[in-house]
Amino acid sequence: MIGEQSSSASRSTTAARVKRPTWKDPRLALGAVLVVASVVGTVYLVRELNHTTEVYVAGANITLGEELTLQNLRIENVQLGESDTQYLAANPELISEARANTFIGAGEFIPNSSITHNDLGSRRPINIELPADLTPAITPGSFVDVWIAQREKAGSTYGVPEQLASMVEVSARVARAGGLVNQTGTNLELLVEPTHLEPLLQALANESRIIVIYNPAGTQQ
């Protein structure tokens, strides 16, 4: 009798251990939640990978000050990811009275920083060569103050810098490298008012030292 009771108790214990879980079992509920979360995450990832944005692309070379129109632009569907907000979206309202504030090559995406809705007026583009370590804050669309240090007659020293102009807009920035002497530098294109054009050209002709200083006040305009 004792042996039979022990065997019966063992079978009951075994049966309890192999009993199938019900929908009320928290482990089953947790597993279902994890499966659903995995499926949702996979669907979201696939959608993000297949997400495209319509942006404008330069259909031809666009020069400084040229108006953006449907004739010199084309629309492309591209995958830009998180950087899609940095480029000009394909919206006709965004190009209304918009002009290029730098040169844009044919086939290039158009960064929002490369266009302006302001009239370029009488300003003229002037290119100047500067050191390679120019602050990265100076980008197309930013503003700088221009200072000039005249070359002394001896030719090896410079005078005290004097401010030529304030709030001069930068229309382009190009890194320069190589050459016969392997020099590096930065080429800046500035939009210069007529009153500052002659003294700046004289400074370039006389090989004076030209200094540009980033002016953060320009971002508030």
Side-chain angles (χ1 to χ4, degrees):
M1 290 293 293
I2 294 176
E4 291 180 357
Q5 289 178 354
S6 299
S7 177
S8 177
S10 177
R11 286 196 298 270
S12 298
T13 302
T14 302
R17 290 178 179 175
V18 299
K19 184 179 181 181
R20 293 182 178 180
T22 66
W23 63 272
K24 295 182 179 181
D25 192 323
R27 293 172 298 178
L28 183 61
L30 177 60
V33 170
L34 293 176
V35 171
V36 172
S38 176
V39 172
V40 171
T42 301
V43 171
Y44 175 79
L45 179 61
V46 171
R47 287 182 178 178
E48 286 297 308
L49 292 176
N50 294 327
H51 176 70
T52 59
T53 304
E54 286 190 340
V55 297
Y56 284 122
V57 177
N61 288 341
I62 301 175
T63 59
L64 173 68
E66 184 176 350
E67 186 175 357
L68 301 184
T69 67
L70 296 179
Q71 283 65 49
N72 57 16
L73 300 174
R74 70 171 187 265
I75 297 176
E76 287 191 6
N77 277 301
V78 294
Q79 294 180 347
L80 296 174
E82 296 180 355
S83 63
D84 59 352
T85 58
Q86 300 178 15
Y87 296 95
L88 185 61
N91 183 345
E93 295 182 358
L94 297 178
I95 62 173
S96 177
E97 301 182 355
R99 296 178 181 274
N101 63 16
T102 184
F103 175 82
I104 304 173
E108 294 182 359
F109 296 144
I110 302 177
N112 291 320
S113 59
S114 295
I115 65 171
T116 179
H117 289 83
N118 298 325
D119 186 4
L120 297 180
S122 58
R123 293 180 296 172
R124 295 294 181 266
I126 297 295
N127 290 84
I128 59 175
E129 295 291 335
L130 296 167
D133 58 352
L134 194 66
T135 172
I138 299 178
T139 58
S142 63
F143 291 80
V144 296
D145 297 335
V146 180
W147 293 68
I148 295 177
Q150 300 289 345
R151 180 187 288 272
E152 300 289 355
K153 293 182 179 180
S156 59
T157 59
Y158 297 88
V160 178
E162 296 181 0
Q163 185 172 5
L164 171 69
S166 178
M167 298 294 291
V168 178
E169 185 175 0
V170 178
S171 57
R173 173 176 176 162
V174 179
R176 178 178 54 80
L180 296 177
V181 293
N182 197 30
Q183 291 182 338
T184 60
T186 302
N187 182 284
L188 275 193
E189 185 177 70
L190 305 178
L191 298 179
V192 181
E193 297 288 352
T195 54
H196 301 134
L197 186 59
E198 183 177 347
L200 182 56
L201 291 176
Q202 287 180 350
L204 290 171
N206 297 332
E207 297 183 347
S208 298
R209 178 169 294 170
I210 300 175
I211 306 164
V212 297
I213 302 174
Y214 173 65
N215 192 330
T219 60
Q220 301 174 8
Q221 291 190 339

